[in-house]
């Protein structure tokens, strides 16, 4: 089972002008924890995201038109500041890892992380389009 640990953004993260953290202890704690997940074989990927002011959104109208809206976006608490992808045996193991995730804002500060399970292709009805996605995820047919 794959899960995404979503680091929710906050005003401080959105105000950052550089991705360099001002808290070396936090960076060390995050590196230690991600190394531990890598040694355990559960870490798939992880990264921080630049503030929303450097991004954009594509809005789709019901008639099929697309509109680009540049950031920044309001409500920092609804944005994502980073993520970590893990692959674990079950929800209980995902909960165990997430409960140990370092506070992404630093000690003594409020922060939120959210866990969401990724949809597995086996959850869809079999068909040629699902097979196309499966081929994209596993380009080696012998696997």
């Amino acid at each position: 089972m794959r899960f995404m640990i979503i680091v929710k953004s906050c005003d401080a993260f959105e105000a950052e002008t550089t991705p360099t953290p001002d808290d070396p202890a936090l960076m060390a704690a995050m590196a230690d924890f991600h190394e531990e997940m890598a040694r355990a074989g559960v870490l798939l990927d992880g990264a921080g995201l630049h503030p929303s002011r450097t991004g954009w959104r594509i809005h789709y109208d019901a008639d099929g038109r697309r509109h680009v809206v540049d950031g920044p976006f309001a409500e920092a608490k609804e944005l994502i500041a980073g993520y970590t992808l893990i692959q674990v045996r079950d929800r209980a193991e995902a909960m165990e890892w997430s409960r140990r995730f370092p506070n992404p804002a630093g000690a003594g500060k409020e922060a939120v992380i959210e866990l969401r399970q990724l949809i597995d292709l086996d959850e869809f009805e079999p068909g040629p389009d699902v097979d196309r996605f499966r081929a994209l995820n596993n380009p080696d047919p012998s696997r």
Side-chain angles (χ1 to χ4, degrees), residues 37-61:
M37 288 190 295
R39 284 191 302 274
V42 301
L43 180 65
L44 296 175
D45 190 22
L49 302 173
H50 285 276
S52 69
R53 72 176 168 279
T54 66
W56 58 91
R57 292 178 176 167
I58 308 295
H59 290 252
Y60 298 85
D61 290 343

Side-chain angles (χ1 to χ4, degrees), residues 4-134:
M4 178 181 279
I5 300 170
I6 301 167
V7 176
K8 302 297 275 190
S9 197
C10 63
D11 291 337
F13 292 162
E14 286 295 306
E16 288 293 323
T17 57
T18 173
T20 306
D22 59 355
D23 185 351
L26 173 58
M27 189 63 142
M30 284 292 187
D32 289 346
F33 185 69
H34 282 73
E35 285 174 344
E36 183 181 352
M37 288 190 295
R39 284 191 302 274
V42 301
L43 180 65
L44 296 175
D45 190 22
L49 302 173
H50 285 276
S52 69
R53 72 176 168 279
T54 66
W56 58 91
R57 292 178 176 167
I58 308 295
H59 290 252
Y60 298 85
D61 290 343
D63 62 6
R65 290 183 305 198
R66 294 175 174 98
H67 304 278
V68 177
V69 177
D70 291 323
F73 306 114
E75 296 298 324
K77 66 183 178 183
E78 299 299 325
L79 300 172
I80 297 172
Y83 70 93
T84 298
L85 288 176
I86 59 174
Q87 185 162 2
V88 294
R89 290 181 302 274
D90 53 33
R91 291 177 59 85
E93 186 179 1
M95 176 65 81
E96 178 184 323
W97 283 107
S98 67
R99 292 178 62 87
R100 296 176 44 217
F101 198 91
N103 180 337
K109 297 180 181 173
E110 292 186 11
V112 175
I113 65 170
E114 176 181 331
L115 239 68
R116 303 277 299 275
Q117 184 176 348
L118 276 65
I119 296 174
D120 190 276
L121 289 175
D122 292 338
E123 296 179 58
F124 291 103
E125 291 292 323
D129 293 325
V130 171
D131 292 340
R132 290 172 58 200
F133 275 105
R134 196 175 315 283

